[in-house]
Amino acid sequence: MAEKILIKGNEAIAIAAIHCGCDGYFGYPITPQSEVMETLMKEKPWETTGMVVLQAESETSSINMVYGGACCGKKVMTSSSSPGVSLMAEGLSYLAGAELPCLVVNVMRGGPGLGTIQPSQGDYFQATKGGGHGDYRMYVLAPASGQDMYDFVDKAFEVAFKYRIPAMILADGVIGQMMEKVEFRPMKPRRTEEEVKAQCDAWATVGKGAHRGGNTITSLALDPEVQERHNIHLQAKYKEMEENEVLYETYRAEDAEHLIVAFGCMSRICQNTVDEARERGIKMGLIRPITLFPFPKKEIDAFVPQLKTMMSVELNAGQMVEDIRQIANGRVPVYFYGRQGGIIPSPEEVLEAYLKHI
Amino acid sequence: MKEELIIAGFGGQGVLSMGKILAYSGIMQDQEVAWMPSYGPEMRGGTANVTVILSDNRISSPILSKFDTAIILNQQSLDKFESRVKPGGLLIYDPNGITRHPERKDITICRIAAVDESAKLGNAKAYNMVVLGAFLKMKPIVTMENVVKGLKKSIPSRHHHLIPMNEEAINVGMQAIEMVNEL
């Protein structure tokens, strides 16, 4: 069995990047995720795997370095926290438009604006509905543990390359700062130049040789018909992801009449809420979307007939709840409970809030 | 076994590292663990606290409103966390600088004069290990053998020669703990 290490979620992200054969990390420090780059600087992967680690002069710069690396078919990533991710919004839209795979980690803090450094889930809209301009989606994973932080790096790259889209790990300050036991997976070597070429020759700027014309990477299409065709192609990819890439888990939900929907750290906290409710004889359960895009629409929909109520529990003013209400479509009442500004509710507080509706 | 505790005091007292050593000792004993610090502006000189959970089963919520044990190392933390010990739970505090002592009758209360004891040892930095010793005397949830393993994992190897001194401080804490309110 692999050794189990006690590390912070942020440290797990950094170690996972090295272990999964990441080619480059470009970032700029911001609480509560600075340990990602700190750990990479301490581990010095450029001496072992050859991975590049670079502190850019700003988040805008980081995301454009990611764009450059991704153009070459490299596994590249950045990490930041909410205000920093806002600075990356233009770059994210360009990456999506140019169909470039990459990983962006957002360890959310309270906002809007510079906000607080304490945990939040206020960037759900930004991550799942856009953030940047135009009709695009990212693959969004919401980790709930240190092990998730570690495992999702490799997973995010896999899906990002499969669909040629930006992937995001949408964590929060709790998951980033908490230390837990993390089990490491076997090391994947970085791909050689030949392997990168073999995998990405159809689109990346890997040197054309004599066998084909040049690859052009752009998000510009001045001809509206070309742009529409491109947009329809992007939407078809997102549709395919909705069919094939949904991840979720449930907790004591089989016979539930009251269902909590929560992601990230709140899904952990709400497990205790469910236990407490069950002790009081209330049939409560939990569904945790692991992918926020694609969202587990069908899976939540399948629960609706057995339910009396639902409640979305989030560290924001009510964002994911809009998606859940759309799924419920008036068949069951969907309530919301959230705290903001970096305050995290206890399991008891969530239960008290839910009991007002039951 | 499931132990949910909060360690709270001033930044610089070794609150976070004590929690880390305890958590690592738990891993050495095949337990599930979680270590959740306060990481706000208070880290920069004010109060600091960390929630540590050790359990035989998977840990769900790392955010808790009540604790089995509170280890309290300053007045602000005592004021904040005394009421948050579960009935029948344990509160350990260092009386140094405390003007309003704990008053609850429904919990076990112990005192560890860790400032004095670590001064006697001639090593103020061993303060948090004296406190850890006091806790382990009351709740031996991890063995001394695993604590030493936990120390090795938590401390950079260049400091491993200090482990015997840390062990000694833990033993001092075990001896020096005083009962204030026994249930």
Side-chain angles (χ1 to χ4, degrees):
Chain A
M1 197 174 62
E3 194 183 3
K4 287 175 179 166
I5 308 287
L6 182 72
I7 48 175
K8 287 187 175 187
N10 288 334
E11 295 168 332
I13 292 273
I15 303 286
I18 301 168
H19 287 187
C20 80
C22 179
D23 296 303
Y25 171 95
F26 312 96
Y28 188 81
I30 179 172
T31 307
Q33 64 79 51
S34 295
E35 294 87 355
V36 177
M37 190 160 49
E38 282 170 17
T39 306
L40 285 168
M41 290 297 181
K42 206 165 65 190
E43 294 289 325
K44 297 189 175 81
W46 54 89
E47 290 178 359
T48 51
T49 72
M51 176 185 173
V52 172
V53 183
L54 187 75
Q55 178 170 342
E57 67 270 36
S58 71
E59 290 85 348
T60 316
S61 180
S62 315
I63 196 72
N64 284 295
M65 289 176 178
V66 166
Y67 187 102
C71 285
C72 305
K74 300 287 186 181
K75 271 190 182 179
V76 285
M77 67 181 288
T78 183
S79 67
S80 190
S81 180
S82 310
V85 175
S86 291
L87 285 168
M88 296 181 183
E90 182 200 41
L92 288 171
S93 175
Y94 276 57
L95 283 151
E99 299 196 80
L100 294 173
C102 68
L103 169 60
V104 177
V105 180
N106 179 3
V107 184
M108 290 179 280
R109 57 191 252 178
L114 204 48
T116 166
I117 60 174
Q118 300 293 337
S120 163
Q121 297 179 327
D123 304 349
Y124 176 88
F125 281 154
Q126 188 192 47
T128 62
K129 314 288 180 198
H133 58 280
D135 273 331
Y136 78 91
R137 300 284 193 172
M138 293 185 292
Y139 176 63
V140 184
L141 286 161
S145 66
Q147 190 69 49
D148 282 352
M149 290 287 253
Y150 181 85
D151 292 341
F152 286 1
V153 172
D154 190 35
K155 177 73 188 164
F157 274 124
E158 177 202 315
V159 174
F161 272 83
K162 184 171 169 191
Y163 294 92
R164 285 177 56 198
I165 55 155
M168 179 175 275
I169 294 179
L170 190 68
D172 52 66
V174 174
I175 304 302
Q177 291 296 323
M178 179 168 50
M179 279 208 262
E180 290 187 292
K181 195 156 76 166
V182 176
E183 189 176 343
F184 293 162
R185 312 276 177 219
M187 186 98 175
K188 278 188 190 175
R190 279 179 59 234
R191 294 161 304 159
T192 62
E193 295 299 331
E194 291 71 30
E195 284 166 338
V196 172
K197 198 171 167 72
Q199 187 187 358
C200 308
D201 192 51
W203 58 271
T205 49
V206 287
K208 73 180 179 68
H211 66 288
R212 63 159 167 82
N215 286 334
T216 306
I217 293 175
T218 180
S219 63
L220 176 72
L222 290 175
D223 181 343
E225 283 189 17
V226 174
Q227 183 69 58
E228 188 182 49
R229 258 202 317 275
H230 181 61
N231 282 10
I232 289 169
H233 161 69
L234 293 181
Q235 295 302 320
K237 287 201 301 192
Y238 305 147
K239 183 96 189 132
E240 198 185 329
M241 288 174 66
E242 289 192 301
E243 293 297 322
N244 301 322
E245 304 298 340
V246 169
L247 297 172
Y248 71 101
E249 65 180 20
T250 59
Y251 181 72
R252 303 184 81 169
E254 305 74 34
D255 63 338
E257 295 173 348
H258 306 282
L259 190 70
I260 292 179
V261 188
F263 68 95
C265 73
M266 285 317 301
S267 69
R268 297 269 296 266
I269 292 163
C270 290
Q271 282 182 21
N272 285 33
T273 307
V274 168
D275 289 342
E276 181 74 32
R278 290 268 173 182
E279 266 175 44
R280 299 189 195 188
I282 301 164
K283 286 187 175 173
M284 194 177 280
L286 169 79
I287 183 162
R288 168 199 168 204
I290 297 173
T291 50
L292 300 182
F293 183 83
F295 197 69
K297 289 181 191 169
K298 283 180 206 155
E299 294 72 11
I300 293 175
D301 182 77
F303 274 106
V304 171
Q306 77 186 54
L307 299 176
K308 290 181 178 156
T309 68
M310 293 170 88
M311 188 163 84
S312 183
V313 184
E314 307 168 52
L315 292 180
N316 57 43
Q319 300 190 11
M320 180 175 68
V321 66
E322 293 188 5
D323 290 332
I324 300 161
R325 286 196 175 126
Q326 202 172 28
I327 296 163
N329 201 14
R331 287 175 293 168
V332 284
V334 179
Y335 302 106
F336 169 75
Y337 183 70
R339 293 298 303 262
Q340 301 171 62
I343 294 178
I344 309 161
S346 67
E348 294 78 14
E349 199 178 329
V350 175
L351 182 61
E352 206 177 302
Y354 206 162
L355 290 179
K356 286 182 189 150
H357 303 296
I358 296 177
Chain B
M1 195 287 297
K2 187 176 184 187
E3 176 72 13
E4 299 175 326
L5 71 148
I6 181 117
I7 311 169
F10 288 118
Q13 280 177 319
V15 164
L16 300 184
S17 57
M18 174 184 165
K20 188 177 173 185
I21 290 161
L22 185 58
Y24 242 131
S25 310
I27 290 184
M28 295 301 127
Q29 206 151 305
D30 262 336
Q31 290 163 342
E32 298 297 321
V33 303
W35 175 99
M36 182 66 214
S38 58
Y39 65 91
E42 64 268 37
M43 258 179 81
R44 286 124 181 135
T47 58
N49 66 66
V50 60
T51 300
V52 179
I53 308 173
L54 283 81
S55 173
D56 291 333
N57 300 312
R58 191 178 150 193
I59 295 164
S60 43
S61 176
I63 307 294
L64 305 165
S65 55
K66 299 275 182 193
F67 302 93
D68 298 310
T69 299
I71 299 173
I72 301 295
L73 306 175
N74 67 9
Q75 185 69 57
Q76 291 95 317
S77 303
L78 182 61
D79 295 343
K80 189 169 175 187
F81 292 111
E82 182 180 359
S83 63
R84 291 173 63 180
V85 179
K86 291 177 193 168
L90 172 66
L91 187 152
I92 298 174
Y93 77 108
D94 184 337
N96 183 52
I98 299 288
T99 51
R100 189 200 64 79
H101 289 257
E103 287 153 4
R104 281 179 63 178
K105 297 289 169 226
D106 63 336
I107 56 173
T108 302
I109 298 175
C110 296
R111 198 154 56 191
I112 175 70
V115 168
D116 301 344
E117 294 298 334
S118 55
K120 275 188 229 162
L121 277 169
N123 190 344
K125 282 186 185 167
Y127 175 79
N128 61 350
M129 291 300 98
V130 174
V131 177
L132 180 62
F135 169 70
L136 291 174
K137 171 79 179 177
M138 293 304 294
K139 293 204 172 172
I141 51 174
V142 282
T143 63
M144 194 64 184
E145 190 193 346
N146 283 321
V147 172
V148 173
K149 283 188 193 164
L151 273 165
K152 280 191 183 144
K153 286 281 186 182
S154 312
I155 301 176
S157 45
R158 67 180 186 279
H159 291 144
H160 277 188
H161 64 282
L162 297 173
I163 286 174
M165 183 273 293
N166 280 289
E167 267 185 88
E168 190 193 347
I170 291 170
N171 284 321
V172 165
M174 286 179 166
Q175 304 301 322
I177 187 165
E178 299 165 77
M179 186 64 73
V180 177
N181 185 53
E182 194 163 7
L183 280 189

